Amino acid sequence: MAASVRAVATGVAALALTGCSASLGSSDGATTGTGDNSSFTAAGVEHIEDEGRAVIDLRAPITATDLGAGDGQVLRDVDVRGEDPIDVTVRGSRGDLVVPADVIRVLVGADGSEVQSIALFEDRDDTAALTTRLKTVGDTVGVDGSALDSYVASVGEGRQEVWLNGGESPGFTVGLHPVDEPDGEHVLEYQLTAPG
């Protein structure tokens, strides 16, 4: 018995040292993806919601398999609106972006294998909180400052939204889509794509 425990501990230590992750499976799919990635199968989403965190590695293009889909598994959305947001860490070649997301959506190409983009939706309490967060994130990821300033100057004049593209400071592309409804939602959408 002690030898088998020692063998398991040695195997876990080897995984930790090599930077790989084990993929735990269930009938609803893996609860972890490959490398640093979380899984977005039914079991993976449940694991993300229980843990309150997720990791997506965009240092290189990723596939549905990297996010846990295999053997016919389908990727699922995470949707915790009205609950505590999920802390999503998106890894890039030049830095990480951390987003408290209420919704995580994976867009897969027509062939069902390549991940085209990741959409994260972050709810904010009001217009001021949305514009403050937009400025902070936009400056961090390298979105054009004049476009940010133009949008911020227009808020408060009814429903406002804009697509701000091109922030690439973390090593992946970040598009920002703020939607401000003065008497409704205040949402910052992130569209994230891997380099290449």
Side-chain angles (χ1 to χ4, degrees):
M1 183 75 163
S4 65
V5 169
R6 217 176 6 259
V8 169
T10 301
V12 169
L15 281 174
L17 292 174
T18 61
C20 295
S21 65
S23 182
L24 306 175
S26 76
S27 62
D28 294 326
T31 57
T32 59
T34 63
D36 285 339
N37 291 299
S38 295
S39 170
F40 289 85
T41 62
V45 166
E46 184 176 331
H47 183 73
I48 289 168
E49 291 174 352
D50 288 346
E51 294 287 317
R53 59 189 175 88
V55 177
I56 301 167
D57 188 343
L58 290 183
R59 291 177 283 195
I62 59 174
T63 65
T65 302
D66 293 325
L67 300 180
D71 298 326
Q73 295 296 323
V74 176
L75 299 181
R76 308 282 184 196
D77 292 348
V78 175
D79 188 338
V80 293
R81 285 177 281 194
E83 302 173 28
D84 290 335
I86 303 296
D87 287 327
V88 182
T89 300
V90 186
R91 301 219 185 279
S93 60
R94 294 189 297 270
D96 293 349
L97 176 65
V98 179
V99 177
D102 297 282
V103 177
I104 308 168
R105 185 167 295 142
V106 179
L107 177 63
V108 180
D111 68 353
S113 63
E114 186 177 343
V115 173
Q116 292 184 327
S117 67
I118 309 286
L120 306 176
F121 298 83
E122 176 183 347
D123 290 335
R124 288 283 143 176
D125 291 333
D126 55 31
T127 299
L130 175 63
T131 56
T132 299
R133 179 67 173 160
L134 175 64
K135 285 286 288 175
T136 300
V137 172
D139 291 343
T140 299
V141 302
V143 169
D144 176 25
S146 62
L148 282 171
D149 292 340
S150 176
Y151 174 79
V152 170
S154 69
V155 295
E157 301 172 5
R159 177 184 163 88
Q160 296 291 324
E161 67 177 301
V162 68
W163 280 99
L164 302 167
N165 297 313
E168 297 182 347
S169 295
F172 53 88
T173 303
V174 181
L176 298 174
H177 179 218
V179 178
D180 184 66
E181 298 183 33
D183 296 322
E185 294 183 318
H186 313 279
V187 177
L188 180 55
E189 176 185 354
Y190 300 70
Q191 282 290 328
L192 311 174
T193 53

